[in-house]
Amino acid sequence: MDPDTAIASSPKPKTKPEKIRSGSLRFSSPSNFIIDETSSQEFEATYQPKTDLLKAFAVLVAAVTGTVAINQSWVAANQDIAMALLFGLGYMGIIFEESLAFNKSGVGLLMAVSLWTIRSIGAPSNDVALSELSHATAEVSEIVFFLLGAMTIVEIVDAHQGFKLVTDNITTRKPKTLLWVVGFVTFFLSSILDNLTSTIVMVSLLRKLAPPSEYRKLLGAVVVIAANAGGAWTPIGDVTTTMLWIHGQISTLPTMKGLFLPSAVSLAVPLALLSLTSEVNGKGQNSADVLASEQMAPRGQLVFSVGLGALVFVPVFKALTGLPPYMGMLLGLGVLWIITDAIHYGESERQRLKVPQALSRIDTQGALFFLGILLSVSSLEAAGILRELANYLDAHIPSTELIASAIGVVSAIIDNVPLVAATMGMYDLSSFPQDSEFWQLVAFCAGTGGSMLVIGSAAGVAFMGMEKVDFFWYMKKVSGFAFAGYAAGIAAYLATHNLNISLPTALAQVPFLHGS
């Protein structure tokens, strides 16, 4: 729903929603200001004792777990078991968010704090736990700052209707064609930007291309798959490929040559399968009706140019200064902030076009969920649980191809960053040299494997928050197609690697690709 729109309370259920404004104030959460007079009747009609029993059981289990955690001697002796149980419990709370009616952001934050509490009990000393937490917080904060900056820039451009410049150039209105166009536009955008920013931009565009529907949700799922696939074949497209690139496991040109075709296949297969679904064949929406009401705000082209330039400049800023990407994102936000203040100076009726109002509209709840998940995973990494998992894979799976493939499957459940970090710790360059098949497969699998579940990647988490998609919808409608693309991509890589097929050798003549 548009943030400007609030549903006015009325005894007639079918009354058309009305827009409520008060000067420049936008009521982003109308339910906080309007009392629904029929809420008690609706509660009685929708009351489900089974749901309440399920919630009560979940609270009871959480309470018992907390009681056990108080027993510090047991936790100290069984830290791994305690953390694994708590993570599993929290993960179930996130998955069954709709059934339990517990917000996933709150569950994620509680899980993160609880896991680090157990880690502080089980660590050799409190100083060790504090050091680990400080290191984890620094890394996680960089991602959260990056996320908040990117979301704010996109919101500012969106408020100025800047993305209309892009949507007007997507002339097709055929659902099948639009599915492929959105997929490959995201694929190439994600190879330049990171997959998280690409997802935020493209999901915002989808709101201009199609009204809320199952079809738009599928388009959003395509964005997630395409963003993860596009980020896997360039060193700056995904955080895991960037990690491997910085530490010397992969270099620029061999990675692009070796992974472009498998990444494209991992997108093309889900697109082909989704093109056969009834949502695409029978329920595609005509986007002309949506776009007809959009009017670009004054200086919208300027804001669009500066906003897009700020996003594209992030990897350039990192290359020039060596500073983390979030610093480049904050630089772009600062520049856009000053520009919007200048061009709308004295225009009190256009306060919604400025950054302070945009900050009130971004999905802070989603950012907090992301914070909780990353802190939770970092606690498992600090305790050595993830490294134990990697060692287990090494001991029980003889094939390096299967190990890399398993890493991709696990990354659909657990964040791929610590998994790749653990893999880098398990194997050094003496075991597998730079640009070997193993490292390239790890880069591909860790990047694309997260598409199999909506919470398996930063792109999926962003899509989940922006379009209010639940875990089970994605698993039912998309996960099978994403897995088919993942498997096809691995097969394509093994085939091209054995047959020595890659991008045309003419690509090697591009000057900026020679650096490693």
Side-chain angles (χ1 to χ4, degrees):
M1 180 182 292
D2 184 84
D4 286 333
T5 306
I7 300 177
S9 175
S10 171
K12 298 179 180 180
K14 296 183 179 180
T15 300
K16 185 178 180 179
E18 298 177 359
K19 291 188 176 180
I20 298 178
R21 293 184 181 271
S22 176
S24 60
L25 177 64
R26 289 162 56 103
F27 292 163
S28 59
S29 298
S31 59
N32 293 333
F33 302 94
I34 302 171
I35 299 176
D36 187 357
E37 295 177 356
T38 62
S39 58
S40 60
Q41 290 88 341
E42 291 178 355
F43 174 79
E44 292 177 1
T46 59
Y47 176 67
Q48 297 178 353
K50 290 184 179 179
T51 300
D52 281 359
L53 288 175
L54 187 61
K55 290 164 65 176
F57 177 74
V59 172
L60 178 62
V61 172
V64 171
T65 304
T67 303
V68 172
I70 295 176
N71 187 344
Q72 297 189 10
S73 60
W74 184 89
V75 169
N78 302 276
Q79 175 188 246
D80 289 1
I81 297 176
M83 294 184 73
L85 289 174
L86 184 57
F87 182 82
L89 180 63
Y91 192 72
M92 288 299 103
I94 293 171
I95 292 177
F96 294 101
E97 176 193 17
E98 297 294 328
S99 300
L100 297 174
F102 294 147
N103 189 283
K104 63 180 180 293
S105 299
V107 174
L109 292 175
L110 282 175
M111 179 171 64
V113 175
S114 300
L115 284 170
W116 275 106
T117 301
I118 293 177
R119 176 56 187 160
S120 68
I121 296 172
S125 68
N126 193 51
D127 290 339
V128 171
L130 288 176
S131 177
E132 292 172 344
L133 178 58
S134 297
H135 178 72
T137 303
E139 291 185 345
V140 171
S141 297
E142 289 186 10
I143 300 176
V144 173
F145 288 150
F146 184 96
L147 172 64
L148 291 174
M151 292 173 68
T152 307
I153 290 175
V154 170
E155 179 60 39
I156 284 292
V157 175
D158 186 47
H160 286 79
Q161 305 301 341
F163 292 124
K164 185 174 171 63
L165 292 171
V166 177
T167 54
D168 282 349
N169 288 313
I170 301 179
T171 56
T172 180
R173 295 297 179 259
K174 296 179 180 179
K176 277 189 180 180
T177 307
L178 185 60
L179 194 77
W180 286 82
V181 170
V182 167
F184 276 95
V185 166
T186 307
F187 179 80
F188 287 105
L189 184 66
S190 181
S191 68
I192 302 172
L193 305 177
D194 68 285
N195 51 10
L196 177 60
T197 304
S198 302
T199 301
I200 295 172
V201 171
M202 291 304 297
V203 172
S204 297
L205 289 180
L206 294 184
R207 294 172 177 174
K208 309 295 180 264
L209 291 170
S213 62
E214 283 289 297
Y215 174 61
R216 192 171 89 179
K217 286 183 179 181
L218 285 180
L219 285 176
V222 165
V223 166
V224 174
I225 296 172
N228 289 331
W233 66 278
T234 64
I236 61 173
D238 185 87
V239 64
T240 52
T241 52
T242 302
M243 288 167 54
L244 292 166
W245 176 51
I246 291 174
H247 288 86
Q249 277 81 7
I250 60 175
S251 57
T252 305
L253 183 58
T255 300
M256 296 178 69
K257 290 174 62 179
L259 296 184
F260 174 80
L261 186 58
S263 297
V265 168
S266 72
L267 170 61
V269 169
L271 286 177
L273 295 174
L274 284 167
S275 297
L276 303 176
T277 61
S278 59
E279 289 85 358
V280 175
N281 283 300
K283 300 181 181 179
Q285 301 293 328
N286 187 345
S287 60
D289 295 336
V290 181
L291 296 174
S293 62
E294 299 288 353
Q295 297 295 326
M296 185 174 293
R299 277 82 73 181
Q301 293 186 9
L302 172 63
V303 173
F304 172 77
S305 300
V306 174
L308 186 61
L311 296 175
V312 174
F313 183 69
V314 171
V316 178
F317 177 85
K318 179 183 182 300
L320 292 176
T321 65
L323 294 174
Y326 80 93
M327 292 295 289
M329 189 62 72
L330 294 180
L331 171 65
L333 176 59
V335 170
L336 191 61
W337 197 322
I338 297 300
I339 288 177
T340 52
D341 279 350
I343 63 179
H344 297 302
Y345 176 76
E347 300 175 349
S348 58
E349 72 280 4
R350 290 176 181 156
Q351 292 298 315
R352 63 178 295 272
L353 300 179
K354 295 184 179 181
V355 173
Q357 287 292 319
L359 288 170
S360 69
R361 297 193 297 269
I362 65 173
D363 185 20
T364 309
Q365 172 182 296
L368 289 174
F369 171 63
F370 202 54
L371 173 66
I373 288 294
L374 289 178
L375 281 177
S376 298
V377 172
S378 66
S379 71
L380 300 180
E381 182 184 12
I385 296 175
L386 295 181
R387 190 166 300 280
E388 290 176 9
L389 175 61
N391 291 333
Y392 178 85
L393 293 175
D394 188 38
H396 292 80
I397 303 179
S399 169
T400 56
E401 290 85 357
L402 289 177
I403 290 177
S405 302
I407 289 173
V409 173
V410 175
S411 72
I413 304 173
I414 301 176
D415 186 69
N416 56 6
V417 173
L419 287 176
V420 172
T423 305
M424 290 164 59
M426 284 174 55
Y427 307 102
D428 53 27
L429 292 175
S430 62
S431 302
F432 299 102
Q434 186 182 56
D435 295 320
S436 64
E437 177 182 311
F438 175 74
W439 290 122
Q440 289 194 350
L441 262 181
V442 167
F444 172 79
C445 294
T448 59
S451 300
M452 288 185 280
L453 292 178
V454 72
I455 62 173
S457 65
V461 171
F463 167 59
M464 189 179 187
M466 295 176 73
E467 287 294 287
K468 311 305 179 189
V469 172
D470 64 72
F471 178 89
F472 287 108
W473 179 90
Y474 189 95
M475 187 166 62
K476 178 182 178 182
K477 297 283 189 177
V478 183
S479 293
F481 298 145
F483 176 76
Y486 175 72
I490 294 175
Y493 175 80
L494 295 176
T496 56
H497 184 79
N498 293 329
L499 297 175
N500 198 26
I501 301 173
S502 63
L503 289 180
T505 55
L507 186 63
Q509 303 303 318
V510 181
F512 71 87
L513 295 178
H514 289 292
S516 60

